[in-house]
């Protein structure tokens, strides 16, 4: 979307305030729970220590040497249900599973109570088609004794299960999990990813129950998340591999003033490995910026799924919107206000970010004295200083001369090489910039038509060039 005004600085961290100017928003990712402290019923009972539960019930898969304390009962239990699962429940209980969501939830709660007494329950129901992520949670009071989080998730096909992990992650981040899983390997893989994220981010205890509800109604077989993690390589689902950015059949439409639906992005799938610098290119108006905004979380897809490692930052194309504080140092430091850092910590992080984009020498410079390319580099430093994992960069070189253009590209390359796992997706319609990329995605008319190695894409674009020579390299 060329020439679009973003009404603010232009570096946008959706995790820290969505599309709004970050100067008016706050960091809203919290890590304030952990399994132990949140468990109101933390005394050991029921299955006693999980080592015992694990060893005796699972038949000798010994946990890794690192001892993981198990909190019992878990605060949440999660049941995944769909048609197949309903039949499983039915077989177990010898009863018909109620169809109405509230009744069904209670039924499932009772069933899961057998295996996680006193826990809070999450019932994840895989529904077809209509329910989207944002509309998921509904709290139902259960006689004041405990609460049940009833969550409906869409599950049209295996690909869509990728969202389950995100939802679980969002809803119950910070609590202990106890899961009853689908038999589907894909669902399992998504849950595994969630477990991994929960453990990594919160040092949490994960209880993992594989088909327990299918096999037995009264005992859950537990495994440790290390075991799950060690099995990760066996799974291949969206969000499970080492991709920092993934979209799966993403579509986006708008309604014009006559109420007609206009498709902008059509069925776009892409995968960008962690730590790499990729470019997204294609003719003017093919949908690059729109897709980038979807990946940034600034637009919601009409259909399909997106997985982007977080925190992610979106940098807009117009350098005059990028940098607004009086000096370079103040500008880069601005976003750190939300982190409660000491002065020394702030200075250190600002220095590191500016060094990464080769702008440290400009620390005290008034921003109005910077060139367009230098402002872009300061804007990128503003994203890096918040330790973003993914940089989404929208045609940063549009308004730059050749020197600044290369300077900004090299700044991004350098930022990636000086950090372990920052990934960047760079939107451009300048073919010559491709030489700096690790990989590329090429779009035409709202679709991803090529995806992968730069040389292949380059050759292919050259072959197609006649059809849009005015757009590419213009
Ligand atoms: N909110 C909107 N209302 C109407 N049309 C839109 C809207 N957003 C995008 N479009 C249209 O969708 C198409 C894709 O726009 P987008 O800005 O994503 O393309 P682009 O590939 O980034 O183009 P450019 O290289 O010129 O910046 C364009 O035809 C644009 O006019």
């Amino acid at each position: 979307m060329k020439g679009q005004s973003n009404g603010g600085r232009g570096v946008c961290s959706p995790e820290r305030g969505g599309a709004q100017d970050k100067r008016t928003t706050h960091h809203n990712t919290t890590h304030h729970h952990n399994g132990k402290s949140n468990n109101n019923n933390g005394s050991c009972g029921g299955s006693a220590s999980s080592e015992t539960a694990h060893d005796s019930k699972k038949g000798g898969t010994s946990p890794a040497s690192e001892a993981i304390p198990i909190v019992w009962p878990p605060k949440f239990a999660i049941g995944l249900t769909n048609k197949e699962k309903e039949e499983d429940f039915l077989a177990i209980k010898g009863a018909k599973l109620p169809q109405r969501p509230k009744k069904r939830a209670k039924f499932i709660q009772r069933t899961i109570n057998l295996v996680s007494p006193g826990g809070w329950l999450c019932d994840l129901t895989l529904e077809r088609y209509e329910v989207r992520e944002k509309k998921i949670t509904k709290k139902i009071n259960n006689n004041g004794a405990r609460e049940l989080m009833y969550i409906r998730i869409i599950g049209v096909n295996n690909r869509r299960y990728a969202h389950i992990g995100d939802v679980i992650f969002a809803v119950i981040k910070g609590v202990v999990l106890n899961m009853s899983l689908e038999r589907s390997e894909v669902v399992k893989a998504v849950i595994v990813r969630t477990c991994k994220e929960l453990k990594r981010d919160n040092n949490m205890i994960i209880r993992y129950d594989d088909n327990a509800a299918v096999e037995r109604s009264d005992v859950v077989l537990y495994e440790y998340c290390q075991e799950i993690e060690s099995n990760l390589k066996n799974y291949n689902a969206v969000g499970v591999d080492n991709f920092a950015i993934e979209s799966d059949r993403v579509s986006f439409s708008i309604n014009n003033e006559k109420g007609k639906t206009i498709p902008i992005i059509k069925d776009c799938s892409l995968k960008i490995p962690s730590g790499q610098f990729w470019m997204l290119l294609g003719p003017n108006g093919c949908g690059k910026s729109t897709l980038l905004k979807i990946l940034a979380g600034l637009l919601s897809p009409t259909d399909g799924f997106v997985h982007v490692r977080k925190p992610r930052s979106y940098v807009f194309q117009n350098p005059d919107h990028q940098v607004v504080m009086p000096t370079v140092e103040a500008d880069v430091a601005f976003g750190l206000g939300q982190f409660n850092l000491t002065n020394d910590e702030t200075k250190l992080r600002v220095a590191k970010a500016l060094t990464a984009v080769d702008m440290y020498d400009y620390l005290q410079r008034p921003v109005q004295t910077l060139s367009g390319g230098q402002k872009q580099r300061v804007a990128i430093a503003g994203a890096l200083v918040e330790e973003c994992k993914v940089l989404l960069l929208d045609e940063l070189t549009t308004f730059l001369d050749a020197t600044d253009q290369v300077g900004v590209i090299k700044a991004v390359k350098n930022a990636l090489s000086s950090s372990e796992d920052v990934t960047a997706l760079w939107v451009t319609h300048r073919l010559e910039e491709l030489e700096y990329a690790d990989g590329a995605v090429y779009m035409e008319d709202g679709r991803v038509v090529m995806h992968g190695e730069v040389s292949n894409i380059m050759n292919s674009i050259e072959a197609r060039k006649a059809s849009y020579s005015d757009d590419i390299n213009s």
Side-chain angles (χ1 to χ4, degrees), residues 1-4 252 254-257 262-265 281-293 299 317 394-395 398 427-429 443 446 471:
M1 293 181 196
K2 241 178 194 152
Q4 162 183 325
F252 178 78
I254 51 151
N255 288 327
N256 69 10
E257 50 295 347
I262 313 285
I264 308 275
I265 299 295
L281 69 169
N284 288 132
C286 70
K288 304 179 294 290
S289 297
T290 307
L291 182 57
L292 198 74
K293 287 192 176 93
L299 292 173
Q317 68 178 190
D394 194 1
E395 304 217 43
T398 300
V427 166
T428 184
H429 58 275
M443 292 181 70
D471 294 323

